[in-house]
Amino acid sequence: MLVPLLSNAAAQRNLCILAHVDHGKTTLADSLLATNGILSSKLAGKVRFLDMREDEQRRGITMEASGISLYFKVLDKGSEKEAVAKEYMVSLIDAPGHVDFSSEVSTAARLCDGALVLVDVVEGVCTQTHTVLRQAWMEGIRPLLVLNKIDRLITELKLSPAEAYYHLKRTLEQVNAIIGTFFQEKRLADESKKLEHRDDSALYFDPSLGNVLFASATDGWAFRLDLFASLHSARLKCNESALRSALWGDFYFDPKTKRVIGHKQLNRRPLKPLFVQLVLDNIWAIYDAAILNHNPDKIDKIVQTLGIKLLPRELKTKDTKTLTQSIMSAWLPLASEVLLAVVDILPSPLAAQKVRLPQLLHPDIEPAPPAQNELERALYGCISNGDVCLVSKMISVPKDAFPQNKKVALTADEMRARGKIAREERLRLAQQAAAAAATAAGVTEGESGVISLPISAINSNASETVSKPVEETTQQSAESASNEPAEVIVGYTRVLSGTLRVGQSINVLSPKYNHLLPREQQIKSGLASTATIEGIYIIMGRDLHPVQEAPAGCIVGITGLGDHIIKNGTLSTTLDCPSLVQRRSGSDVVSAPILRVAIEPEDPSDLDKLVAGLKLLNHSDPCVEVIVQETGEHVLMTAGELHLERCLTDLRERFAKIELTVSKPIVPFRETIVSTAASEPLSAIPTGYATPFVPSAYIVGKSATVSTPGGIVSITVSARPLPDTVREYLETATAADVIALSATRRSAGRKSTTVDTIDAAGAVLAAIASEEAGDAAATVADSSQSGSSEAFLIGLEKAIRASDENPDRWRGVTSGLWALGPKRVGPNLLVNKLSGQSAADSAPAEQVTEHDQQQQQQRQLSVHDFEESIHTGFQLATLRGPLCAEPTHGVCFFVESVQIDHNALQQASTASSSGHVITATKEALHLAFMQWSPRLMLATYSCDIQASSDVLGKVYAVIARRKGRILSEELREGTPYFEIKSAIPVIESFGFADEMRKKTSGQASPQLIFRGFEMLDEDPFWVPHTEEELEDLGEKADRENLARKYMDAIRKRKGMFVERKLVKSAEKQRTLKRN
């Protein structure tokens, strides 16, 4: 039924289910699957069919996005009131709700045109609800709101219908307020459209528009207002569309005039809103008769009034929950109502791509221009000209899950035929064995020519002969199976235009591919390659259904891309197609991989299996990152503790199938400096913690001077903490502008230190070739259009002026800016404050004369010969700070002087001098750093918890034990739940969720979201020095220094010096006398 619908894009709907964790996504998906007979409607919500992993079933949460395609048939009334059957194919993706798997939400939303956004009406709008709404907004997909778990308002909160109505109204307003903030952010970002009026009413959720469903997925019912409008319009003798508009809002039914009136005509009469009177009162009556005050007679009357048919055993059941589900699902069936809303509200690929693709190809132009070439016309119209596909993610599928590898049950005729063939084969082999045995025994033939042998000899020889080829075949198949991988990489793909066919060759474009640059160099760099489509499959949860072709608009799985795509990519028959993935990089709502562990096999001989398993894991998980350190250690980076547990389970059980040794979690830190009061002395640094002793180093004020061996080059630098406004600007600046600035500053032959116009193609190729820039280089191609180094410097100057510090301190920073670090894009600055030794002193010569040769020799002895070495030293110093070799953050370094001994330089080699300058620069920067009060910056989670007042004290106790701090606490209106927002260091978060659940008996479950780095305002080298401090704490200051504790732990892990207190002479013992 589904295959014929693949070629009809108008009959397709591609949607994903998005929500906060435990808001009912998988239960709703089960009910939709029951319409296709995949599972029983009685088991919907219990089977959790799309949770295919064992740990998903055990924990009760979704960890991986799972897709399935459904068939839906609806009778539509034509113009002549004749029912016309219409068939639809609904491609559904159930996305996770846990914050650790936000990357799965991102990849699912890219493939779809619409989304079902579920909100638990009791818990309200939670953290992940806000995240998925933003994701839907950024991807340009149309959302459909489902207010779920309305039954909890009746059974748990015990609200009246009127109270429930106002509670639902507040929840809807909260969701619309979030949508409104997205709209305002977009308007404020565009300076030219701040004052422009635009009608945004179509963006919001309004039940009268049909884009809001009221549901209880666990009880199997849902409805929209048009259902009750059609039920009551005839009785109230009013227009159906007018009644639908009046069912939500301050509208009332006047029993005297038999008319619908507004709030102004109420005249203080105690009338109920129409939504309460016509909708909620009926639902509350059913729950009251079935659960709250069980009344079988009233139940029979309700069933007769509604005209629904129930089996006698269903009416007589003593399980009130089952009885309620039977009545409500028969009256307001969940699946049919949701699918009708999907068909009516969500767009088909034909309509969706006209809106989404222009925004995807031209994100910086609003409104997006019309199609400019044949490729864009094919993409906008979702037509069959030119194959273009978006591979959103790669998934790993067991090989035995493919149809060709599954064992097929044989029919009776096939079994009889196979048995006959087997008997004939055994008889033939037995005759051959008998003849061979007779020849070996020297048996002569009789007169009849028949060989006489015992039956036992024939059977034994035949069995031996048959067993040999069977054993050989089994051994060969086992060897071939061990060599072949047990997992196959499948690309989760949306066909945007054209028709994809099995066996077709197609270009694979990486996220860094730029169609405006020369293709030859990009092909050599691996940014574009050619792959062959080995198979196309309709994804049906656990099963894969093969098809020969996939027309535009459908979502399919493709094999044959495992060697060409790592995470995501673009497929196209032409190299003129832009990469559709790189333009999404700035809009992804993905949890950052902040948690790192080092892994190794328990058996060193299994290292190859571990490497192969990590490769498969890196393919199949869009968020995980695998890096190999210089020491050869394999480090796995994940988004959180639960994500790490899932990845390790996959490695042990699926990908590597070996036992692993896992280190303790590694959390990144940052190092920074702060200014102290003039009267407050700097803390004394223990000898082993300081920068290694440099004989030629000395300190003058805040400046540090370090000379290379032999005194060839002496470098004087100073440091200063950046203002908060500048730090924030550097953190939010686009990588394209930063890389363009770096390329401009370091370009050869420049005539001044001001920003020059750079060649866009050269900057892109340089950025792509630079491994230091990483994935940030993917957006450089757009820098020539949307951003430039000039814009970056202008923004930097504005950030400096916006700070509270004296602007004279920062005069000349933008004009003398040399580099940013670490990795050339970090939040640290290197500023050139050299006097008379700037790059402007040299200019390239066109004709080489004797005088020019002397000038050239003189120029070789200038600072320009060591500029690259100074830059390299700066990158190394900011990548590994002096405290614990963690990256520095928010520090500005000034190069004040570079003195060169020309005579000594002529005697030394340039290569060795350059290396010495790198080391001297790094040590000088570290010394300048330590002239300020150092601080550690901790990676921090934002923790959101909903808890009742009974366990509020336990929640606070657990947060305090984990060194967290409370940000806010609010009582959610209409509920007994408090919403607590707090911040907790990542280093203290391991086991936090389990401890919270244990201490609160499961009544509170935290959601942890990475919020960035926050400074721990505590000097790791602080010791008491004032009289008050010495009196209170003593000379040893026995209280715990948290910053010192973290710093020592990092240094110990990295093999650096750590000061320890060891007992050397323990012969004597002093016993304290009790009073």
Side-chain angles (χ1 to χ4, degrees), residues 694-708 713-718 896-899 920-921 923-925 927-928 931:
V694 182
S696 56
Y698 58 91
I699 306 296
V700 178
K702 294 288 187 180
S703 300
T705 302
V706 176
S707 299
T708 60
V713 180
S714 297
I715 302 173
T716 302
V717 298
S718 62
E896 298 179 346
S897 174
V898 178
Q899 302 294 334
T921 303
E923 302 300 343
L925 294 175
L927 284 174
Q931 300 315 302

PDB file of all heavy atoms in Angstrom, residues 694-708 713-718 896-899 920-921 923-925 927-928 931:
ATOM      1  N   VAL A 694      63.275  29.989  34.053  1.00  0.00           N
ATOM      2  CA  VAL A 694      63.998  30.476  32.885  1.00  0.00           C
ATOM      3  C   VAL A 694      65.062  31.434  33.387  1.00  0.00           C
ATOM      4  O   VAL A 694      64.745  32.480  33.968  1.00  0.00           O
ATOM      5  CB  VAL A 694      63.050  31.182  31.885  1.00  0.00           C
ATOM      6  CG1 VAL A 694      63.823  31.628  30.660  1.00  0.00           C
ATOM      7  CG2 VAL A 694      61.909  30.256  31.500  1.00  0.00           C
ATOM      8  N   PRO A 695      66.337  31.111  33.210  1.00  0.00           N
ATOM      9  CA  PRO A 695      67.387  31.962  33.794  1.00  0.00           C
ATOM     10  C   PRO A 695      67.336  33.401  33.313  1.00  0.00           C
ATOM     11  O   PRO A 695      67.650  34.319  34.061  1.00  0.00           O
ATOM     12  CB  PRO A 695      68.676  31.259  33.340  1.00  0.00           C
ATOM     13  CG  PRO A 695      68.270  29.863  33.007  1.00  0.00           C
ATOM     14  CD  PRO A 695      66.863  29.937  32.523  1.00  0.00           C
ATOM     15  N   SER A 696      66.935  33.606  32.049  1.00  0.00           N
ATOM     16  CA  SER A 696      66.968  34.955  31.482  1.00  0.00           C
ATOM     17  C   SER A 696      65.628  35.663  31.585  1.00  0.00           C
ATOM     18  O   SER A 696      65.338  36.552  30.790  1.00  0.00           O
ATOM     19  CB  SER A 696      67.406  34.884  30.019  1.00  0.00           C
ATOM     20  OG  SER A 696      66.558  34.011  29.298  1.00  0.00           O
ATOM     21  N   ALA A 697      64.765  35.257  32.521  1.00  0.00           N
ATOM     22  CA  ALA A 697      63.450  35.870  32.678  1.00  0.00           C
ATOM     23  C   ALA A 697      63.445  36.794  33.882  1.00  0.00           C
ATOM     24  O   ALA A 697      64.051  36.487  34.913  1.00  0.00           O
ATOM     25  CB  ALA A 697      62.374  34.805  32.830  1.00  0.00           C
ATOM     26  N   TYR A 698      62.751  37.907  33.741  1.00  0.00           N
ATOM     27  CA  TYR A 698      62.602  38.809  34.879  1.00  0.00           C
ATOM     28  C   TYR A 698      61.284  39.560  34.752  1.00  0.00           C
ATOM     29  O   TYR A 698      60.709  39.679  33.662  1.00  0.00           O
ATOM     30  CB  TYR A 698      63.782  39.782  34.981  1.00  0.00           C
ATOM     31  CG  TYR A 698      64.004  40.644  33.759  1.00  0.00           C
ATOM     32  CD1 TYR A 698      63.406  41.891  33.630  1.00  0.00           C
ATOM     33  CD2 TYR A 698      64.836  40.208  32.729  1.00  0.00           C
ATOM     34  CE1 TYR A 698      63.609  42.677  32.507  1.00  0.00           C
ATOM     35  CE2 TYR A 698      65.059  40.989  31.607  1.00  0.00           C
ATOM     36  CZ  TYR A 698      64.449  42.224  31.496  1.00  0.00           C
ATOM     37  OH  TYR A 698      64.650  42.996  30.385  1.00  0.00           O
ATOM     38  N   ILE A 699      60.785  40.057  35.885  1.00  0.00           N
ATOM     39  CA  ILE A 699      59.492  40.709  35.979  1.00  0.00           C
ATOM     40  C   ILE A 699      59.694  42.166  36.337  1.00  0.00           C
ATOM     41  O   ILE A 699      60.463  42.489  37.245  1.00  0.00           O
ATOM     42  CB  ILE A 699      58.601  40.019  37.031  1.00  0.00           C
ATOM     43  CG1 ILE A 699      58.496  38.515  36.736  1.00  0.00           C
ATOM     44  CG2 ILE A 699      57.226  40.664  37.077  1.00  0.00           C
ATOM     45  CD1 ILE A 699      57.821  38.182  35.441  1.00  0.00           C
ATOM     46  N   VAL A 700      59.004  43.037  35.613  1.00  0.00           N
ATOM     47  CA  VAL A 700      58.980  44.459  35.927  1.00  0.00           C
ATOM     48  C   VAL A 700      57.521  44.882  35.950  1.00  0.00           C
ATOM     49  O   VAL A 700      56.874  44.977  34.893  1.00  0.00           O
ATOM     50  CB  VAL A 700      59.781  45.289  34.907  1.00  0.00           C
ATOM     51  CG1 VAL A 700      59.670  46.768  35.252  1.00  0.00           C
ATOM     52  CG2 VAL A 700      61.232  44.843  34.871  1.00  0.00           C
ATOM     53  N   GLY A 701      56.974  45.125  37.142  1.00  0.00           N
ATOM     54  CA  GLY A 701      55.564  45.471  37.255  1.00  0.00           C
ATOM     55  C   GLY A 701      54.698  44.305  36.823  1.00  0.00           C
ATOM     56  O   GLY A 701      54.804  43.188  37.354  1.00  0.00           O
ATOM     57  N   LYS A 702      53.821  44.528  35.828  1.00  0.00           N
ATOM     58  CA  LYS A 702      52.980  43.476  35.271  1.00  0.00           C
ATOM     59  C   LYS A 702      53.565  42.890  33.992  1.00  0.00           C
ATOM     60  O   LYS A 702      52.930  42.050  33.357  1.00  0.00           O
ATOM     61  CB  LYS A 702      51.584  44.036  34.963  1.00  0.00           C
ATOM     62  CG  LYS A 702      50.797  44.460  36.192  1.00  0.00           C
ATOM     63  CD  LYS A 702      50.310  43.274  37.000  1.00  0.00           C
ATOM     64  CE  LYS A 702      49.382  43.699  38.124  1.00  0.00           C
ATOM     65  NZ  LYS A 702      48.909  42.564  38.923  1.00  0.00           N
ATOM     66  N   SER A 703      54.731  43.326  33.596  1.00  0.00           N
ATOM     67  CA  SER A 703      55.353  42.866  32.363  1.00  0.00           C
ATOM     68  C   SER A 703      56.380  41.790  32.668  1.00  0.00           C
ATOM     69  O   SER A 703      57.061  41.821  33.694  1.00  0.00           O
ATOM     70  CB  SER A 703      56.022  44.032  31.619  1.00  0.00           C
ATOM     71  OG  SER A 703      55.078  45.030  31.283  1.00  0.00           O
ATOM     72  N   ALA A 704      56.486  40.821  31.740  1.00  0.00           N
ATOM     73  CA  ALA A 704      57.440  39.725  31.865  1.00  0.00           C
ATOM     74  C   ALA A 704      58.331  39.716  30.640  1.00  0.00           C
ATOM     75  O   ALA A 704      57.844  39.843  29.512  1.00  0.00           O
ATOM     76  CB  ALA A 704      56.725  38.393  32.008  1.00  0.00           C
ATOM     77  N   THR A 705      59.633  39.578  30.859  1.00  0.00           N
ATOM     78  CA  THR A 705      60.604  39.545  29.771  1.00  0.00           C
ATOM     79  C   THR A 705      61.354  38.221  29.830  1.00  0.00           C
ATOM     80  O   THR A 705      61.850  37.819  30.883  1.00  0.00           O
ATOM     81  CB  THR A 705      61.593  40.708  29.888  1.00  0.00           C
ATOM     82  OG1 THR A 705      60.884  41.944  29.882  1.00  0.00           O
ATOM     83  CG2 THR A 705      62.585  40.695  28.728  1.00  0.00           C
ATOM     84  N   VAL A 706      61.424  37.560  28.683  1.00  0.00           N
ATOM     85  CA  VAL A 706      62.112  36.277  28.570  1.00  0.00           C
ATOM     86  C   VAL A 706      63.020  36.344  27.353  1.00  0.00           C
ATOM     87  O   VAL A 706      62.600  36.813  26.286  1.00  0.00           O
ATOM     88  CB  VAL A 706      61.125  35.101  28.438  1.00  0.00           C
ATOM     89  CG1 VAL A 706      61.877  33.793  28.233  1.00  0.00           C
ATOM     90  CG2 VAL A 706      60.245  35.005  29.665  1.00  0.00           C
ATOM     91  N   SER A 707      64.237  35.868  27.505  1.00  0.00           N
ATOM     92  CA  SER A 707      65.207  35.856  26.412  1.00  0.00           C
ATOM     93  C   SER A 707      65.484  34.424  25.997  1.00  0.00           C
ATOM     94  O   SER A 707      65.435  33.484  26.810  1.00  0.00           O
ATOM     95  CB  SER A 707      66.517  36.530  26.842  1.00  0.00           C
ATOM     96  OG  SER A 707      66.289  37.884  27.198  1.00  0.00           O
ATOM     97  N   THR A 708      65.794  34.266  24.724  1.00  0.00           N
ATOM     98  CA  THR A 708      66.165  32.955  24.209  1.00  0.00           C
ATOM     99  C   THR A 708      67.591  32.632  24.648  1.00  0.00           C
ATOM    100  O   THR A 708      68.351  33.512  25.064  1.00  0.00           O
ATOM    101  CB  THR A 708      66.072  32.943  22.683  1.00  0.00           C
ATOM    102  OG1 THR A 708      66.968  33.937  22.156  1.00  0.00           O
ATOM    103  CG2 THR A 708      64.655  33.255  22.231  1.00  0.00           C
ATOM    104  N   VAL A 713      67.094  36.846  21.132  1.00  0.00           N
ATOM    105  CA  VAL A 713      65.820  37.556  21.084  1.00  0.00           C
ATOM    106  C   VAL A 713      65.290  37.677  22.504  1.00  0.00           C
ATOM    107  O   VAL A 713      65.289  36.680  23.253  1.00  0.00           O
ATOM    108  CB  VAL A 713      64.791  36.831  20.185  1.00  0.00           C
ATOM    109  CG1 VAL A 713      63.482  37.604  20.149  1.00  0.00           C
ATOM    110  CG2 VAL A 713      65.327  36.646  18.776  1.00  0.00           C
ATOM    111  N   SER A 714      64.843  38.869  22.866  1.00  0.00           N
ATOM    112  CA  SER A 714      64.211  39.113  24.165  1.00  0.00           C
ATOM    113  C   SER A 714      62.802  39.642  23.923  1.00  0.00           C
ATOM    114  O   SER A 714      62.619  40.599  23.167  1.00  0.00           O
ATOM    115  CB  SER A 714      65.018  40.124  24.978  1.00  0.00           C
ATOM    116  OG  SER A 714      66.312  39.622  25.257  1.00  0.00           O
ATOM    117  N   ILE A 715      61.834  39.004  24.545  1.00  0.00           N
ATOM    118  CA  ILE A 715      60.420  39.336  24.325  1.00  0.00           C
ATOM    119  C   ILE A 715      59.840  39.829  25.638  1.00  0.00           C
ATOM    120  O   ILE A 715      59.983  39.169  26.676  1.00  0.00           O
ATOM    121  CB  ILE A 715      59.634  38.117  23.814  1.00  0.00           C
ATOM    122  CG1 ILE A 715      60.245  37.603  22.510  1.00  0.00           C
ATOM    123  CG2 ILE A 715      58.177  38.465  23.599  1.00  0.00           C
ATOM    124  CD1 ILE A 715      59.632  36.313  22.018  1.00  0.00           C
ATOM    125  N   THR A 716      59.196  40.980  25.577  1.00  0.00           N
ATOM    126  CA  THR A 716      58.534  41.556  26.750  1.00  0.00           C
ATOM    127  C   THR A 716      57.038  41.604  26.482  1.00  0.00           C
ATOM    128  O   THR A 716      56.598  42.184  25.479  1.00  0.00           O
ATOM    129  CB  THR A 716      59.050  42.959  27.042  1.00  0.00           C
ATOM    130  OG1 THR A 716      60.475  42.910  27.237  1.00  0.00           O
ATOM    131  CG2 THR A 716      58.386  43.531  28.284  1.00  0.00           C
ATOM    132  N   VAL A 717      56.252  40.988  27.336  1.00  0.00           N
ATOM    133  CA  VAL A 717      54.804  40.944  27.169  1.00  0.00           C
ATOM    134  C   VAL A 717      54.148  41.294  28.499  1.00  0.00           C
ATOM    135  O   VAL A 717      54.757  41.191  29.572  1.00  0.00           O
ATOM    136  CB  VAL A 717      54.315  39.562  26.687  1.00  0.00           C
ATOM    137  CG1 VAL A 717      54.885  39.212  25.341  1.00  0.00           C
ATOM    138  CG2 VAL A 717      54.657  38.491  27.709  1.00  0.00           C
ATOM    139  N   SER A 718      52.899  41.705  28.413  1.00  0.00           N
ATOM    140  CA  SER A 718      52.063  41.927  29.594  1.00  0.00           C
ATOM    141  C   SER A 718      50.680  41.371  29.309  1.00  0.00           C
ATOM    142  O   SER A 718      50.335  41.093  28.158  1.00  0.00           O
ATOM    143  CB  SER A 718      51.982  43.429  29.921  1.00  0.00           C
ATOM    144  OG  SER A 718      51.376  44.140  28.849  1.00  0.00           O
ATOM    145  N   GLU A 896      54.998  44.040  24.043  1.00  0.00           N
ATOM    146  CA  GLU A 896      55.496  45.403  24.238  1.00  0.00           C
ATOM    147  C   GLU A 896      56.857  45.632  23.588  1.00  0.00           C
ATOM    148  O   GLU A 896      57.167  46.744  23.147  1.00  0.00           O
ATOM    149  CB  GLU A 896      55.581  45.710  25.737  1.00  0.00           C
ATOM    150  CG  GLU A 896      54.224  45.645  26.426  1.00  0.00           C
ATOM    151  CD  GLU A 896      54.316  45.923  27.907  1.00  0.00           C
ATOM    152  OE1 GLU A 896      55.452  45.899  28.442  1.00  0.00           O
ATOM    153  OE2 GLU A 896      53.271  46.150  28.544  1.00  0.00           O
ATOM    154  N   SER A 897      57.691  44.604  23.531  1.00  0.00           N
ATOM    155  CA  SER A 897      59.021  44.801  22.975  1.00  0.00           C
ATOM    156  C   SER A 897      59.571  43.476  22.495  1.00  0.00           C
ATOM    157  O   SER A 897      59.355  42.433  23.127  1.00  0.00           O
ATOM    158  CB  SER A 897      59.969  45.413  24.025  1.00  0.00           C
ATOM    159  OG  SER A 897      61.284  45.476  23.539  1.00  0.00           O
ATOM    160  N   VAL A 898      60.279  43.531  21.366  1.00  0.00           N
ATOM    161  CA  VAL A 898      61.023  42.393  20.845  1.00  0.00           C
ATOM    162  C   VAL A 898      62.418  42.906  20.487  1.00  0.00           C
ATOM    163  O   VAL A 898      62.602  43.624  19.498  1.00  0.00           O
ATOM    164  CB  VAL A 898      60.340  41.760  19.612  1.00  0.00           C
ATOM    165  CG1 VAL A 898      61.175  40.604  19.083  1.00  0.00           C
ATOM    166  CG2 VAL A 898      58.940  41.281  19.959  1.00  0.00           C
ATOM    167  N   GLN A 899      63.406  42.588  21.312  1.00  0.00           N
ATOM    168  CA  GLN A 899      64.778  43.025  21.106  1.00  0.00           C
ATOM    169  C   GLN A 899      65.577  41.902  20.455  1.00  0.00           C
ATOM    170  O   GLN A 899      65.538  40.754  20.910  1.00  0.00           O
ATOM    171  CB  GLN A 899      65.421  43.423  22.443  1.00  0.00           C
ATOM    172  CG  GLN A 899      64.693  44.531  23.183  1.00  0.00           C
ATOM    173  CD  GLN A 899      64.741  45.859  22.451  1.00  0.00           C
ATOM    174  OE1 GLN A 899      65.672  46.108  21.666  1.00  0.00           O
ATOM    175  NE2 GLN A 899      63.750  46.705  22.695  1.00  0.00           N
ATOM    176  N   ALA A 920      60.267  30.875  24.196  1.00  0.00           N
ATOM    177  CA  ALA A 920      60.364  32.103  24.987  1.00  0.00           C
ATOM    178  C   ALA A 920      59.043  32.848  25.025  1.00  0.00           C
ATOM    179  O   ALA A 920      58.646  33.384  26.071  1.00  0.00           O
ATOM    180  CB  ALA A 920      61.466  32.997  24.407  1.00  0.00           C
ATOM    181  N   THR A 921      58.331  32.898  23.896  1.00  0.00           N
ATOM    182  CA  THR A 921      57.026  33.573  23.858  1.00  0.00           C
ATOM    183  C   THR A 921      56.033  32.882  24.785  1.00  0.00           C
ATOM    184  O   THR A 921      55.314  33.531  25.556  1.00  0.00           O
ATOM    185  CB  THR A 921      56.478  33.589  22.424  1.00  0.00           C
ATOM    186  OG1 THR A 921      57.420  34.234  21.560  1.00  0.00           O
ATOM    187  CG2 THR A 921      55.155  34.324  22.360  1.00  0.00           C
ATOM    188  N   GLU A 923      56.659  31.021  27.443  1.00  0.00           N
ATOM    189  CA  GLU A 923      57.008  31.223  28.841  1.00  0.00           C
ATOM    190  C   GLU A 923      56.739  32.661  29.278  1.00  0.00           C
ATOM    191  O   GLU A 923      56.300  32.910  30.406  1.00  0.00           O
ATOM    192  CB  GLU A 923      58.489  30.880  29.065  1.00  0.00           C
ATOM    193  CG  GLU A 923      58.881  29.460  28.678  1.00  0.00           C
ATOM    194  CD  GLU A 923      58.112  28.409  29.461  1.00  0.00           C
ATOM    195  OE1 GLU A 923      57.524  28.748  30.494  1.00  0.00           O
ATOM    196  OE2 GLU A 923      58.087  27.244  29.017  1.00  0.00           O
ATOM    197  N   ALA A 924      56.989  33.607  28.400  1.00  0.00           N
ATOM    198  CA  ALA A 924      56.729  35.003  28.750  1.00  0.00           C
ATOM    199  C   ALA A 924      55.239  35.244  28.964  1.00  0.00           C
ATOM    200  O   ALA A 924      54.830  35.946  29.904  1.00  0.00           O
ATOM    201  CB  ALA A 924      57.264  35.918  27.647  1.00  0.00           C
ATOM    202  N   LEU A 925      54.411  34.663  28.107  1.00  0.00           N
ATOM    203  CA  LEU A 925      52.967  34.824  28.259  1.00  0.00           C
ATOM    204  C   LEU A 925      52.480  34.179  29.556  1.00  0.00           C
ATOM    205  O   LEU A 925      51.607  34.717  30.244  1.00  0.00           O
ATOM    206  CB  LEU A 925      52.247  34.223  27.054  1.00  0.00           C
ATOM    207  CG  LEU A 925      52.491  34.914  25.705  1.00  0.00           C
ATOM    208  CD1 LEU A 925      51.823  34.143  24.590  1.00  0.00           C
ATOM    209  CD2 LEU A 925      51.989  36.345  25.724  1.00  0.00           C
ATOM    210  N   LEU A 927      54.273  33.771  32.305  1.00  0.00           N
ATOM    211  CA  LEU A 927      54.729  34.608  33.410  1.00  0.00           C
ATOM    212  C   LEU A 927      53.858  35.847  33.553  1.00  0.00           C
ATOM    213  O   LEU A 927      53.504  36.248  34.672  1.00  0.00           O
ATOM    214  CB  LEU A 927      56.188  35.010  33.190  1.00  0.00           C
ATOM    215  CG  LEU A 927      57.246  33.937  33.470  1.00  0.00           C
ATOM    216  CD1 LEU A 927      58.621  34.435  33.062  1.00  0.00           C
ATOM    217  CD2 LEU A 927      57.233  33.537  34.941  1.00  0.00           C
ATOM    218  N   ALA A 928      53.499  36.469  32.438  1.00  0.00           N
ATOM    219  CA  ALA A 928      52.614  37.639  32.488  1.00  0.00           C
ATOM    220  C   ALA A 928      51.243  37.257  33.028  1.00  0.00           C
ATOM    221  O   ALA A 928      50.606  38.023  33.761  1.00  0.00           O
ATOM    222  CB  ALA A 928      52.490  38.254  31.101  1.00  0.00           C
ATOM    223  N   GLN A 931      51.105  37.118  36.836  1.00  0.00           N
ATOM    224  CA  GLN A 931      51.242  38.362  37.586  1.00  0.00           C
ATOM    225  C   GLN A 931      49.892  38.903  38.035  1.00  0.00           C
ATOM    226  O   GLN A 931      49.828  39.928  38.706  1.00  0.00           O
ATOM    227  CB  GLN A 931      51.972  39.412  36.734  1.00  0.00           C
ATOM    228  CG  GLN A 931      53.365  39.004  36.310  1.00  0.00           C
ATOM    229  CD  GLN A 931      54.154  38.396  37.443  1.00  0.00           C
ATOM    230  OE1 GLN A 931      54.358  39.025  38.490  1.00  0.00           O
ATOM    231  NE2 GLN A 931      54.621  37.156  37.235  1.00  0.00           N
TER     232      GLN A 931
END
